[in-house]
Amino acid sequence: MIIKPKVRGFICTNAHPQGCAANVQEQIAFTKAKGPLVDAPKKVLVLGCSTGFGLASRITAAFGGGADTLGVCFEKPPTEDKCGTAGYYNTSAFHDAAKAAGLYAHTFNGDAFSDACKTQVIDEIKKSLSQVDLVIYSLASPRRTDPKTGEVFMSVLKPINQVYTSKNLNTDTLKISEVSIEPATDLEIAQTVKVMGGEDWELWIDALQAAGVLSQNCKTVAYTYLGDKLTWPIYGKATIGKAKEDLDRAAKALNEKMKSLNGSANVAVLKAVVTQASSAIPIMPLYLAILFKVMKEGGTHEGCIEQIQRLFKECLYSANPRKDNADRFRVDELELSPEVQSKVEAIWPEVTEENLLETTDFKGYKDEFLRLFGFGVKGIDYDAETSSLVKTNF
Ligand code: NAD
């Protein structure tokens, strides 16, 4: 088949296998060019390993630190007439590269929130790795089934206490309009915390520790975004922000529990990037298009792989990690610099449908969005007949 992007709103419903593989290769090349990471972990579990920050973490651990990696993701395999998800193709490409480099890699494609998945992972660690020395928690999901009760919780992206009205860009039609979002109910806030808060991270670490598969000095890290004034009403101080606050609670609890291993648990604050998760958040695409322009002009633009390389080097495995007073690793310092934020805030009210392409880097945003699905990648012939199938290797 000829595979061209099928974009519906903020999602692309297909993906290009060779384009995704080329993206993975590019991230591997970036990581190798940075040179070996000092004191890097050797056996790493990545929860949410197939796209975005989780994929970048797996690549950094494997190709920067020479680590064996075990991953968990939730992706659709391809059929003869339907493409698989980008995360499926990414994972397949990662496995090919890991094998070629002589690195162990194993991936479970299933529901990370379930007890069954935790048991499978523990059994595999016992069988093949004995223990892990780093656990990355990088899940982003709109829903979670409680493993004990079977109840399904849904997260919402809504403000708290007040209606939020803002400029919003429809990335499909390029229309800019005002959106108003009603505040979340208490139940919606609680449900969002259930899905994106720290409970499942704790369940994972509890299960791994009880099974004796965490090594001495084991580290675990969960990812968050804080942002600044423009994004606070819909992120930092909204339902998702509440869920992320719960990660701070979980990190404290985990640090206590991991003391016997001399282990540590931290939240890492990362910058805003284009991923499947972030493109679903109202106002984020416009914020990102402006942020890209400002940070590219300032020479400080970064994507997932650049962020995670710095997280490992400057925080996780540094003798002087950059932390805030809540004990969180900070890799968002360039985005949140007063200079960058004041420039973004100055551009925000000026953007119109007519001047979108001059006042923002919408083109850069859109290109990165399509690249998430393997489209617009240099060297790929998108007019060529391509099979949606890839050899199952995980
Ligand atoms: P993403 O959508 O690219 O990746 C999500 C991953 O979770 C994928 O590997 C997916 O397969 C996996 N997943 C989802 N549901 C699952 C399930 N039930 N079982 C197993 N795997 C499942 O997301 P991302 O943007 O890389 O986000 C990862 C983390 O980083 C999130 O905690 C997010 O809040 C945080 N973060 C994102 C940004 C941003 O701008 N994108 C910024 C800072 C922090």
Side-chain angles (χ1 to χ4, degrees), residues 132-176:
V132 290
D133 45 10
L134 173 65
V135 181
I136 301 269
Y137 192 86
S138 187
L139 297 178
S141 172
R143 74 184 65 78
R144 171 176 169 225
T145 304
D146 186 292
K148 305 289 178 259
T149 63
E151 196 179 337
V152 179
F153 298 100
M154 306 291 289
S155 66
V156 297
L157 294 160
K158 288 190 177 181
I160 291 178
N161 288 337
Q162 54 201 31
V163 177
Y164 170 57
T165 302
S166 173
K167 191 181 240 182
N168 187 50
L169 169 67
N170 180 323
T171 50
D172 241 0
T173 60
L174 302 197
K175 294 271 176 246
I176 293 179

Side-chain angles (χ1 to χ4, degrees), residues 285-304:
L286 184 53
Y287 172 77
L288 281 164
I290 300 173
L291 184 72
F292 281 11
K293 183 173 175 73
V294 171
M295 293 189 80
K296 281 180 185 174
E297 282 172 4
T300 55
H301 176 73
E302 292 178 310
C304 289

Side-chain angles (χ1 to χ4, degrees), residues 47-55 72-75 87 108-113 117 137-144 196 222-226 235 240 244 247 268-279 281 284 288 304 372:
L47 304 165
C49 65
S50 55
T51 54
F53 284 122
L55 173 65
V72 179
C73 60
F74 201 57
E75 302 293 345
F108 289 101
N109 189 16
D111 182 10
F113 298 125
C117 183
Y137 192 86
S138 187
L139 297 178
S141 172
R143 74 184 65 78
R144 171 176 169 225
M196 288 297 286
Y223 296 152
T224 193
Y225 178 68
L226 290 181
Y235 200 106
I240 181 79
K244 295 296 189 180
L247 289 179
V269 191
L270 304 174
K271 82 174 278 284
V273 296
V274 188
T275 65
Q276 295 184 41
S278 67
S279 45
I281 302 174
M284 261 310 178
L288 281 164
C304 289
L372 295 178

